[in-house]
Amino acid sequence: FYRSGLEKLNINVAPTKVGRYAFAETAISDFDFSAVKEIEPYAFADCTGLESVWLNTNIGVIVGEGAFKGCRNVTRAALPDDMTIVPDKLFSGAAKLTEVSFNGFTVGVESFFDCRALTSFAHTGHLRMVKEGAFDVCVNLQSVDLSGVENFEKRAFGDCRSIPEMYLFSVISLAQSAFYGCSGVQRLSMPLFDNNLAYYFGETPSSLAVMEVLDDSVPDSAFSGAVSLVEVSLGNQATTIGNDAFANCQNLQKLTLPDTVRSIGTGAFAGCSSLLSVDLPASINKISDRMFADCTSLNEVVIGEKVTSIGNNAFANCMSFQSFYMPDQIETIGFAAFSGCENLTYMKLPFVGYSASDHTYIGYIFGADSFPDNALPRKLNAIELSNKCRAIDYGAFMNCNNLG
């Protein structure tokens, strides 16, 4: 009946097999699938009359590639209960398909490509693999449980911009661009596998507000410039945060770092201008260069007992600091570590300058090039030196006229 224009089929016995292209490009609207055991490839391709496909009670049925490809008026479908793999291109281009149920393990290549009306993909939790382009351009897909999926191929959910949440708890293989264009994701839990979010999404999702990282490291620049990000947490397996990992996340307010984190890179949180407070992991031993530079709202940092070094410009332009208590175990403070901290009024330090042995001058940590240029924050009127301080060099406090 290929291209015959057929609208209705009148036979006395329900068919058990539908051949290749049998009803392709017809307008048949009412078909009895109850006895069907095999549907060959493209059997109903571009059939404009079908509105639903019910195969859920068909046991052992074989369904070929693209069997319902381009059936643009199909709105609902239930796949066979014992189907383990959705065939490639099965409903590709079924523009009005809104919901599908599936009990198996794998969704094939472009199985639901360009199903623009699809809002829900229901499965029983057995889904393990989503192949290339399976849901590509399903722009209205909102509800799909990905928590048990282990493998995502390229553009598995490309341009699925309406999915609000993704929880990838079981993933072991994640292809580049697997979620390309999924700009509507607001909450995300996933491992990064040493890549940044742009590797998987094309760019950091513009709506992403809450992020949970599920592997042992956050790569360099992983979330750099994610301006919508409000809350970040790292799992207990996390050990490393890379350079500029969260740089310029301007709306980041809440940061949860487990004590398993041992290393935080240069500029990791630089420019996080909404961050108010940070409790650093007890396991890190240094605060890297520019780690919190330009965190203009930061007013409290809890420094662990193992930290012995504070890097250059570590807290530069943290203008909300009013007081800062430096623990006695600190051995070195980098150049300009507190430059631009204009609202500091009180500091407690273990020594003057870079270290206890290299005394230099007080302005060193505020960015002064030499002791005659001791340019302290204008409001800073009190500096307390701990008992650890054993020497103060000549000119160390020269021209510090505001100290009382």
Side-chain angles (χ1 to χ4, degrees):
F1 302 103
Y2 178 49
R3 291 182 175 176
S4 67
L6 180 71
E7 296 182 3
K8 189 173 183 178
L9 181 67
N10 293 313
I11 55 176
N12 295 326
V13 180
T16 58
K17 179 178 179 178
V18 183
R20 183 183 292 260
Y21 293 103
F23 297 96
E25 298 186 40
T26 67
I28 190 167
S29 59
D30 187 13
F31 190 88
D32 183 1
F33 290 99
S34 62
V36 171
K37 293 297 181 182
E38 182 177 0
I39 302 174
E40 290 191 348
Y42 303 98
F44 293 89
D46 298 306
C47 177
T48 59
L50 282 180
E51 295 182 358
S52 61
V53 177
W54 300 113
L55 298 172
N56 54 307
T57 59
N58 297 57
I59 304 302
V61 65
I62 299 171
V63 182
E65 174 181 313
F68 302 97
K69 181 179 183 292
C71 292
R72 61 178 182 267
N73 288 310
V74 170
T75 59
R76 293 186 298 168
L79 301 180
D81 288 343
D82 63 342
M83 177 180 278
T84 59
I85 301 175
V86 179
D88 294 350
K89 302 180 181 180
L90 181 63
F91 285 99
S92 177
K96 293 184 180 179
L97 184 65
T98 60
E99 57 184 81
V100 179
S101 60
F102 175 57
N103 295 333
F105 303 102
T106 301
V107 180
V109 175
E110 296 185 4
S111 293
F112 300 97
F113 172 78
D114 203 23
C115 291
R116 292 174 177 262
L118 187 65
T119 59
S120 174
F121 182 78
H123 62 89
T124 55
H126 301 300
L127 187 62
R128 295 294 178 265
M129 173 176 280
V130 183
K131 290 194 172 183
E132 183 172 344
F135 295 92
D136 200 5
V137 204
C138 292
V139 294
N140 288 298
L141 182 61
Q142 299 176 29
S143 176
V144 56
D145 180 6
L146 304 179
S147 61
V149 181
E150 298 175 348
N151 299 280
F152 295 86
E153 292 188 355
K154 185 176 181 181
R155 292 192 69 96
F157 288 89
D159 288 314
C160 292
R161 54 177 177 259
S162 297
I163 298 178
E165 301 176 340
M166 290 184 180
Y167 301 103
L168 311 183
F169 296 136
S170 304
V171 62
I172 57 177
S173 176
L174 191 56
Q176 183 176 4
S177 301
F179 304 107
Y180 185 92
C182 292
S183 57
V185 175
Q186 299 169 29
R187 302 180 71 92
L188 178 61
S189 295
M190 64 176 286
L192 295 171
F193 300 118
D194 295 324
N195 296 299
N196 59 27
L197 273 189
Y199 183 84
Y200 305 113
F201 287 83
E203 61 183 4
T204 301
S206 57
S207 299
L208 183 62
V210 180
M211 178 72 204
E212 180 184 17
V213 181
L214 299 178
D215 49 2
D216 58 2
S217 65
V218 181
D220 293 351
S221 304
F223 299 93
S224 181
V227 295
S228 62
L229 196 59
V230 174
E231 180 179 338
V232 170
S233 62
L234 275 61
N236 289 330
Q237 70 273 42
T239 59
T240 305
I241 298 174
N243 298 333
D244 300 309
F246 296 94
N248 299 312
C249 292
Q250 297 173 4
N251 288 297
L252 182 62
Q253 298 176 22
K254 185 177 181 181
L255 183 63
T256 303
L257 304 176
D259 283 341
T260 53
V261 174
R262 298 192 299 269
S263 173
I264 302 178
T266 298
F269 303 102
C272 293
S273 54
S274 296
L275 193 61
L276 299 175
S277 63
V278 176
D279 191 345
L280 291 173
S283 50
I284 68 168
N285 58 23
K286 70 174 181 178
I287 295 175
S288 301
D289 294 352
R290 299 189 303 103
M291 185 185 290
F292 295 103
D294 300 309
C295 291
T296 53
S297 298
L298 187 64
N299 57 46
E300 181 182 8
V301 177
V302 178
I303 298 176
E305 295 179 355
K306 292 184 179 180
V307 175
T308 59
S309 174
I310 295 178
N312 299 334
N313 296 287
F315 297 102
N317 301 317
C318 289
M319 293 184 288
S320 293
F321 280 155
Q322 295 185 18
S323 60
F324 200 97
Y325 297 80
M326 192 77 68
D328 279 354
Q329 83 266 8
I330 299 297
E331 297 176 359
T332 60
I333 305 174
F335 181 73
F338 295 91
S339 64
C341 296
E342 295 299 330
N343 289 302
L344 271 173
T345 61
Y346 169 86
M347 291 190 79
K348 183 176 181 180
L349 300 170
F351 47 79
V352 176
Y354 173 71
S355 68
S357 58
D358 184 2
H359 316 133
T360 58
Y361 47 94
I362 192 62
Y364 179 84
I365 65 173
F366 297 105
D369 292 326
S370 61
F371 67 80
D373 300 320
N374 275 328
L376 274 59
R378 289 178 299 171
K379 296 181 181 180
L380 184 61
N381 55 41
I383 294 178
E384 179 182 353
L385 298 175
S386 75
N387 294 332
K388 182 179 178 179
C389 183
R390 293 290 183 263
I392 299 175
D393 277 6
Y394 171 79
F397 289 93
M398 182 178 289
N399 297 324
C400 297
N401 298 324
N402 290 332
L403 292 178

